Amino acid sequence: KAGVTQTPRYLIKTRGQQVTLSCSPISGHRSVSWYQQTPGQGLQFLFEYFSETQRNKGNFPGRFSGRQFSNSRSEMNVSTLELGDSALYLCASSIGTSGANNEQFFGPGTRLTVL
Amino acid sequence: GQQLNQSPQSMFIQEGEDVSMNCTSSSIFNTWLWYKQDPGEGPVLLIALYKAGELTSNGRLTAQFGITRKDSFLNISASIPSDVGIYFCAGRLHYGGATNKLIFGTGTLLAVQP
């Protein structure tokens, strides 16, 4: 069974630009969550989607948005990029939204560098 | 952002030694998880704990869900070079509804010298 895939793996953008990251969950998984990882703040929750609906959102500005499609694939978008948005963006998928044995499996991440 | 207190921050050990790390929180969790992250990769789930007091093993790894539900520890026995990496604890919160939101610890960097 293929794992979580994220594209692209690496991305370089300049301040003010926008970026879209893509995530394909494990087959059969309907929940997708996004996390930002930086040396200073560690791993921080961005948002969570299930059945095309955002179920939970972390404490990030409105420049960060996401969506989920009917095939459970998800995208996240960051507009008006700032230097501080440089990070590893991780996507995680799980079967559902609660309960035991519903744990999240992470993709390899997209390394975003903002110049 | 919110992070759990994880200690130690780093460990440098000899191959064959046992390792212990722990994680504490000011909040109660329903689920405690332990992940390992290698450079350039996403975290890989090692152990999941669902009940206070639960002790679970996965090969040379053993983890426990604290009785107070505010802490957890991970032990690695007889360490080998491939144990090198960053270990993260994570807690899952339930605000009366289902959620997959994880709060992660600050991480423990483990280096193993052959």
Side-chain angles (χ1 to χ4, degrees), chain A residues 16-58:
Chain A
Q17 288 187 309
Q18 76 161 19
V19 66
T20 299
L21 312 181
S22 181
C23 171
S24 292
I26 292 171
S27 177
H29 285 196
R30 296 173 61 197
S31 178
V32 171
S33 297
W34 289 87
Y35 294 83
Q36 181 196 63
Q37 186 174 26
T38 60
Q41 296 296 315
L43 281 146
Q44 297 294 323
F45 172 80
L46 279 159
F47 21 66
E48 171 190 356
Y49 288 89
F50 179 77
S51 292
E52 302 178 67
T53 301
Q54 187 180 89
R55 295 181 59 87
N56 209 341
K57 190 177 191 308

Side-chain angles (χ1 to χ4, degrees), chain A residues 31 37 41 56 96 103-104, chain B residues 1 35 37 40 50 92 99-100:
Chain A
S31 178
Q37 186 174 26
Q41 296 296 315
N56 209 341
E103 298 319 325
Q104 294 174 66
Chain B
Y35 286 88
Q37 186 175 28
Y50 303 106
R92 190 165 70 200
T99 179
N100 282 326

Side-chain angles (χ1 to χ4, degrees), chain B residues 43-106:
Chain B
V44 174
L45 181 63
L46 299 173
I47 290 181
L49 303 155
Y50 303 106
K51 195 162 48 173
E54 178 182 356
L55 186 71
T56 296
S57 293
N58 178 8
R60 294 179 294 105
L61 278 60
T62 301
Q64 184 159 29
F65 190 142
I67 292 291
T68 64
R69 295 166 65 191
K70 293 183 177 182
D71 63 336
S72 177
F73 74 75
L74 175 70
N75 285 342
I76 304 174
S77 62
S79 58
I80 58 179
S82 62
D83 290 334
V84 166
I86 302 177
Y87 291 78
F88 290 98
C89 63
R92 190 165 70 200
L93 293 160
H94 290 248
Y95 294 112
T99 179
N100 282 326
K101 176 181 177 179
L102 297 178
I103 306 297
F104 279 87
T106 48

